[in-house]
Amino acid sequence: MLSAGSLPRPLAFVLGGGGSFGAMQVGMLHALDEAGIVPDLVVGTSIGALNGSIVAARPVGAAARLSRIWVDIDPDEVLGKGLIHRMKPIVGRRNHLYDNDGLRNLATCLVGNGLIEDLEIPFGAVALEIDNVAPVLFRSGPVVSAILASAAIPGVFAPVERDGHHYYDGGLISTVPILQALQMGAGSAVVLDCIWADQQTPIPSNMLDALAFASLVAARSQGTRELPIAADQIPVVYLPGPAPRLLSPLDFRRTAQLIAEAYDGSLRFLGALEVNGPGLYREAGRSYR
């Protein structure tokens, strides 16, 4: 079984984006907690930034706290109420469906109004700076605004202004922020992803599925490029997720199922895994170098 001692320090938890699929990360964190694996630093994108900030605020017991949070999430409180309410911005020619007040309230309730540098362990949130179309890693300043910027899905939320610049969701350019973990000094990394990079995706059966499929492929491509780059330098453990589903990332109806399936898969994976130096560890007992 993988042990904390086999992962060089500092150990980074890398949490990818994925909207409602971020529930998977809760199950993965439960499995890591049972294995006694606690991070020295955390970096996240989009929903991974929200989950990751809670881990960084207090790593011990974070999985249990996140479980309670996710089970109780009310999408209408985070996003908005009713289809007619959601369509009004389109009629009004705004550039987004939802205000981020609900997400701001949720983030504030979970992590407070403090600064990133006040969290218990180092934390980074990745967003896309719109002016330069480049990723930005927030490692200091207000934690809530960093989360909002990292999770500002274009068309869903308005771009977030911070320090005179405007930002969109970091998942547009860095769905799995593994290179940012290296930038923060990681000696090894555990990746908690939501996009099933190692599993076959169902063939789309309708137009909405086709749109979800296109989004998934675009997200996978970044991880496919950057994970091996990091794995040439450090051990990168990529946790398995549940069987792929072509669902909306705004659909929170399968939260409990995603948590349970990710927990079971990750626990089995960790129980059979051995890490021996740099490499991309994606299947139990096997390293890709």
Side-chain angles (χ1 to χ4, degrees):
M1 182 175 185
L2 181 67
S3 66
S6 62
L7 293 170
R9 299 288 174 169
L11 167 60
F13 279 8
V14 180
L15 288 80
S20 59
F21 296 116
M24 294 163 46
Q25 295 172 345
V26 181
M28 294 172 179
L29 287 166
H30 272 295
L32 290 164
D33 187 51
E34 289 192 18
I37 299 172
V38 180
D40 301 304
L41 62 94
V42 179
V43 59
T45 293
S46 197
I47 193 62
L50 177 60
N51 286 340
S53 67
I54 296 168
V55 176
R58 190 154 44 100
V60 176
R65 294 194 303 278
L66 278 165
S67 287
R68 293 191 292 271
I69 292 163
W70 272 87
V71 169
D72 291 337
I73 281 181
D74 182 350
D76 284 344
E77 290 185 3
V78 177
L79 299 174
K81 296 182 179 179
L83 181 59
I84 294 177
H85 174 85
R86 296 171 185 178
M87 293 301 292
K88 284 182 180 178
I90 295 178
V91 176
R93 298 184 181 277
R94 293 167 61 187
N95 64 358
H96 58 281
L97 283 172
Y98 308 102
D99 294 323
N100 64 13
D101 292 343
L103 184 58
R104 180 188 302 276
N105 291 339
L106 176 63
T108 302
C109 178
L110 298 178
V111 296
N113 282 310
L115 304 176
I116 291 175
E117 50 266 46
D118 293 333
L119 300 177
E120 188 169 315
I121 62 174
F123 170 69
V126 179
L128 172 71
E129 185 177 344
I130 296 175
D131 293 340
N132 299 321
V133 194
V136 172
L137 178 64
F138 295 120
R139 297 184 59 183
S140 61
V143 62
V144 170
S145 73
I147 293 169
L148 294 178
S150 185
I153 305 170
V156 177
F157 294 114
V160 172
E161 183 177 0
R162 178 177 158 122
D163 300 327
H165 298 277
H166 291 84
Y167 300 92
Y168 266 141
D169 192 307
L172 291 170
I173 200 165
S174 186
T175 306
V176 182
I178 187 66
L179 297 187
Q180 287 80 5
L182 285 179
Q183 181 181 339
M184 292 176 68
S188 62
V190 176
V191 176
L192 296 79
D193 196 6
C194 303
I195 60 172
W196 313 291
D198 286 336
Q199 301 189 40
Q200 183 176 356
T201 305
I203 297 173
S205 59
N206 55 53
M207 182 64 72
L208 291 178
D209 282 354
L211 293 173
F213 179 82
S215 176
L216 180 62
V217 170
R220 278 184 174 180
S221 64
Q222 179 264 331
T224 301
R225 291 192 308 269
E226 296 185 357
L227 286 172
I229 296 174
D232 282 341
Q233 304 175 51
I234 63 173
V236 176
V237 175
Y238 186 99
L239 296 180
R245 296 175 178 85
L246 292 174
L247 299 174
S248 166
L250 303 179
D251 184 348
F252 289 83
R253 292 174 296 177
R254 297 182 182 267
T255 291
Q257 183 178 1
L258 291 173
I259 291 174
E261 291 180 2
Y263 166 76
D264 290 341
S266 295
L267 198 63
R268 288 194 300 270
F269 175 78
L270 293 171
L273 181 64
E274 293 182 4
V275 171
N276 299 294
L280 181 52
Y281 296 84
R282 282 179 138 160
E283 295 178 4
R286 184 177 179 189
S287 172
Y288 296 77
R289 299 181 185 276

